[in-house]
Amino acid sequence: MWQVNLSTSSCHNVTSDPPSSYVFISVYSFIFIMGLILNVKALVVFFRQTKTRSHTTVYMINLAIADLLLVLTLPVRVSYLLGYTRLPQRLCDWLGLTLLVNMYSSIFLLTCICFDRCVAVTFPMSHRVKEGRKKAPLVCLAVWVITFGSSLPIFLLKSKVVQESHCFRNQPVYATWPVVLFTTLSFGFGIPLVLMLICSWGLVRAVLNSTVAQTNLVDSGKIQRMVATSLLIFFLSFLPYHVTLSLFYVYREDVPCSLLAAYRYSLMVACLNTILDPIAYYFTTETFKRNVDMEALRKMFPLNSQSSLEAEKRARNRAVCENENKGQAS
């Protein structure tokens, strides 16, 4: 077990520099206010949809809860930046744990939402898929158990290794140990990213190859923009943070102060995801509720195209018969 060779006292503290301090205070305050409003509003909307709540909504509810818990840690961070530095190190550690648990919960839940949309559109008639989607609450429970259970031992060990108490100015020692870093980059970010790319490609491909994509029932361009927006938000929110973690391992013997500053900025950018998530799933929900209803999904696949044509013929014949009966009656 080793730790990063960097003393926070040897570096100019980026969060105490007046221009940078104003940036951190302003952005974190903005994230707290907007994240609180948007995620509370999202939860109110989702919990009101008791009759029409879908399996994807279960993931969105948990995502809103994760984002809400994350933003609730930010007021203490802002107060620290404003000069109230007499905070117990244990409190700082638990707030840091809460932030990271909810960050990775958001990553996993966003991946679950992307996967759920993909299988729902690609295999709408599959009984196995329908039964699997009903397990969304269990999947969410597993996400919370995995993220909290894997993070808690690291923080308990960190409190024994890190002797200096600098609260939110500590370097991410716990996240740069080789085993932890590999697990974080692969299972915490790499695998979810690959799954999101594959599911997004599968979703777009299913929509473009459907017969209904050539009609006005589904705006395929809008769905493609939705998928691209979701991926862009994922990249912008979480890629900088994980790149800086990788660089901590590269420079583990002599970490430059600029890297520590980049880490703090990347963490702040990752917190912006709590604002972007509600915007993304509001857009997603509207797109799929208005343009991709269950009848449209059934028409999207060649297996159902023949039955759709037959139904149209029957409706046409029925209309002709009704007209003939009216003519005879008159």
Side-chain angles (χ1 to χ4, degrees):
M1 193 68 66
W2 56 276
Q3 65 183 53
V4 177
N5 184 21
L6 174 65
S7 173
T8 54
S9 60
S10 65
C11 282
H12 177 62
N13 186 12
V14 65
T15 58
S16 63
D17 181 63
S20 297
S21 179
Y22 297 148
V23 171
F24 280 94
I25 293 172
S26 301
V27 174
Y28 276 129
S29 299
F30 174 76
I31 294 173
F32 170 70
I33 295 172
M34 293 303 300
L36 184 65
I37 294 174
L38 291 175
N39 286 287
V40 169
K41 177 63 176 178
L43 288 174
V44 171
V45 171
F46 289 144
F47 279 114
R48 282 180 177 176
Q49 297 176 346
T50 54
K51 295 182 178 180
T52 60
R53 186 179 300 168
S54 65
H55 304 300
T56 305
T57 306
V58 176
Y59 295 115
M60 292 181 178
I61 290 174
N62 282 267
L63 179 59
I65 292 174
D67 289 339
L68 184 61
L69 291 175
L70 191 153
V71 299
L72 290 177
T73 69
L74 299 183
V76 178
R77 190 176 293 266
V78 171
S79 66
Y80 180 85
L81 295 172
L82 288 172
Y84 186 76
T85 57
R86 296 181 179 180
L87 296 175
Q89 185 61 34
R90 180 63 65 179
L91 174 63
C92 299
D93 289 343
W94 278 106
L95 290 176
L97 171 65
T98 303
L99 188 147
L100 285 181
V101 164
N102 290 285
M103 180 195 300
Y104 286 102
S105 296
S106 297
I107 291 176
F108 293 147
L109 290 168
L110 285 170
T111 306
C112 291
I113 291 172
C114 188
F115 179 79
D116 183 76
R117 286 201 309 256
C118 180
V119 297
V121 173
T122 308
F123 309 104
M125 306 304 294
S126 172
H127 177 73
R128 182 176 298 180
V129 170
K130 290 180 180 179
E131 291 300 317
R133 295 185 68 207
K134 292 180 181 179
K135 298 179 181 179
L138 294 179
V139 174
C140 293
L141 178 61
V143 167
W144 289 108
V145 171
I146 290 173
T147 53
F148 187 80
S150 60
S151 301
L152 182 59
I154 299 171
F155 266 79
L156 294 177
L157 185 59
K158 174 205 171 188
S159 61
K160 297 179 180 180
V161 174
V162 179
Q163 300 299 326
E164 293 182 289
S165 177
H166 294 288
C167 201
F168 299 118
R169 293 192 292 116
N170 274 338
Q171 64 270 18
V173 177
Y174 58 90
T176 52
W177 293 327
V179 175
V180 177
L181 181 64
F182 173 79
T183 304
T184 300
L185 294 180
S186 58
F187 293 96
F189 180 71
I191 293 178
L193 176 60
V194 172
L195 287 175
M196 286 196 68
L197 290 173
I198 294 175
C199 293
S200 298
W201 173 80
L203 176 60
V204 173
R205 183 173 179 271
V207 172
L208 292 179
N209 291 341
S210 65
T211 55
V212 78
Q214 309 303 324
T215 68
N216 294 326
L217 292 175
V218 171
D219 188 347
S220 58
K222 191 173 184 179
I223 293 177
Q224 292 180 66
R225 290 191 295 272
M226 178 272 297
V227 172
T229 301
S230 299
L231 289 176
L232 182 62
I233 290 174
F234 192 88
F235 271 104
L236 292 179
S237 299
F238 303 118
L239 183 61
Y241 175 80
H242 290 89
V243 168
T244 56
L245 289 187
S246 303
L247 293 176
F248 267 109
Y249 180 75
V250 174
Y251 293 98
R252 60 187 180 277
E253 299 299 331
D254 187 17
V255 177
C257 297
S258 58
L259 180 56
L260 182 61
Y263 165 77
R264 289 169 180 160
Y265 277 106
S266 68
L267 183 62
M268 181 177 66
V269 170
C271 292
L272 280 170
N273 186 69
T274 58
I275 299 176
L276 300 176
D277 278 342
I279 297 174
Y281 52 65
Y282 282 149
F283 178 56
T284 300
T285 302
E286 287 298 317
T287 298
F288 277 78
K289 281 189 175 181
R290 290 182 179 180
N291 298 323
V292 191
D293 58 10
M294 290 307 297
E295 291 299 323
L297 285 175
R298 293 190 182 97
K299 296 177 183 178
M300 289 174 64
F301 298 90
L303 291 175
N304 300 300
S305 59
Q306 187 66 30
S307 61
S308 299
L309 291 174
E310 292 176 357
E312 291 178 2
K313 289 180 181 179
R314 287 196 297 269
R316 203 177 293 117
N317 293 334
R318 193 180 302 112
V320 171
C321 293
E322 290 176 357
N323 291 333
E324 290 177 353
N325 293 333
K326 290 180 180 178
Q328 293 175 358
S330 61

